[in-house]
Amino acid sequence: MIIDTFVHLGTFSGRTSIFATLLSIVLFLISLKILPRKLKHHFGNETLDLFFSLFIVFIIAWKVSPLLIQPDLWKKPMILIYAQGIGTEIWLASIITLLFFMWKIWKKKLPILKVIDSLTIAIYLFLFFYSLFVYSPGKIFIQIPINIYREIVIISFLIYLYKTKPLASGFIGAFGLITIGVLELILSLLKAETNLLIYYLSLSQWFAFLCLSTGIYLLFFKLERKKKRC
């Protein structure tokens, strides 16, 4: 495991967490080839194209967002090649990616419940690889890194999906997002290092609230409405 810090590769420098993120995405894409059929069927060609588009949009938005935050950079756009914003830039890129995601679903008329199920499994697989690489010390039970707790929950959830009968569309997303949302909120309070705050919350807490609110919305609105129709 590695600690999140800055490293230098020749003339290029960056945070180890960024390199770990890129490597985790690559391993996630590779893992789709060896997933059990029960999980692999969630990732059709259309879904994979959507996820790849989201990844490209996020990277572009993340690299270009400093221009929106610091207008002076328009005079020296080449600085963007080396800029690695981890605060407001990630927040802005996430909003742009989310808006693109919603527009893409509306344009393609994709079944949103199935897409969110697939996205939830993708999040779990990504976090599984990311937690293998990035070491996160904790305040409580310091001898056990925070990322180990995350791995236990992720592996348990993936085993549950593999062992249980196929779930109706939306239930994987609802329960999976609520679980990961609650987990990340708890872990954010146990982390030993000071988190970068974005509008009074850390990035992991914003991620947790997004997962939690989306999961609750699916469970109590989308799925309940679907039951009534049936």
Side-chain angles (χ1 to χ4, degrees), residues 189-209:
L189 299 176
L190 298 179
K191 286 182 180 179
E193 71 269 15
T194 302
N195 286 311
L196 174 69
L197 296 182
I198 307 172
Y199 299 110
Y200 306 105
L201 294 174
S202 68
L203 185 61
S204 59
Q205 288 171 334
W206 279 113
F207 170 72
F209 279 120

Side-chain angles (χ1 to χ4, degrees), residues 123-134:
I123 290 173
Y124 271 78
L125 290 172
F126 165 76
L127 289 176
F128 168 77
F129 290 114
Y130 183 81
S131 296
L132 287 179
F133 299 129
V134 180

Side-chain angles (χ1 to χ4, degrees), residues 58 62 65 69 85-95 198 203:
F58 178 82
W62 172 57
S65 58
I69 301 170
I86 58 172
T88 308
E89 293 85 356
I90 290 181
W91 171 256
L92 185 58
S94 300
I95 292 177
I198 307 172
L203 185 61

Side-chain angles (χ1 to χ4, degrees), residues 20-206:
T21 298
L22 295 175
L23 180 58
S24 299
I25 292 173
V26 171
L27 291 176
F28 156 67
L29 295 174
I30 294 174
S31 71
L32 293 181
K33 299 293 183 181
I34 59 175
L35 278 178
R37 185 178 299 178
K38 189 174 183 180
L39 296 179
K40 188 183 292 185
H41 84 276
H42 288 284
F43 298 94
N45 290 333
E46 201 167 40
T47 304
L48 289 176
D49 289 342
L50 174 62
F51 290 169
F52 183 74
S53 299
L54 291 176
F55 172 66
I56 296 299
V57 168
F58 178 82
I59 293 297
I60 294 175
W62 172 57
K63 295 300 291 182
V64 175
S65 58
L67 291 175
L68 304 177
I69 301 170
Q70 306 175 53
D72 291 342
L73 291 179
W74 285 97
K75 300 176 182 178
K76 300 178 180 179
M78 292 301 293
I79 294 179
L80 295 178
I81 298 176
Y82 303 97
Q84 296 186 35
I86 58 172
T88 308
E89 293 85 356
I90 290 181
W91 171 256
L92 185 58
S94 300
I95 292 177
I96 293 172
T97 305
L98 181 61
L99 292 174
F100 176 80
F101 174 68
M102 296 169 64
W103 172 78
K104 199 75 172 178
I105 288 179
W106 173 79
K107 182 182 179 183
K108 295 283 188 179
K109 299 188 182 336
L110 299 174
I112 187 169
L113 293 180
K114 289 184 178 180
V115 171
I116 293 181
D117 280 353
S118 304
L119 183 60
T120 301
I121 297 174
I123 290 173
Y124 271 78
L125 290 172
F126 165 76
L127 289 176
F128 168 77
F129 290 114
Y130 183 81
S131 296
L132 287 179
F133 299 129
V134 180
Y135 171 81
S136 301
K139 294 178 181 177
I140 303 175
F141 306 119
I142 295 178
Q143 65 273 21
I144 303 178
I146 291 297
N147 46 299
I148 298 300
Y149 297 112
R150 184 188 292 120
E151 290 285 46
I152 292 172
V153 174
I154 289 172
I155 292 173
S156 300
F157 185 77
L158 292 175
I159 291 175
Y160 168 75
L161 288 183
Y162 178 72
K163 293 290 186 180
T164 192
K165 294 179 180 178
L167 299 174
S169 294
F171 279 95
I172 293 176
F175 290 112
L177 291 175
I178 289 174
T179 299
I180 205 68
V182 171
L183 173 68
E184 290 299 319
L185 274 179
I186 294 174
L187 294 184
S188 70
L189 299 176
L190 298 179
K191 286 182 180 179
E193 71 269 15
T194 302
N195 286 311
L196 174 69
L197 296 182
I198 307 172
Y199 299 110
Y200 306 105
L201 294 174
S202 68
L203 185 61
S204 59
Q205 288 171 334
W206 279 113

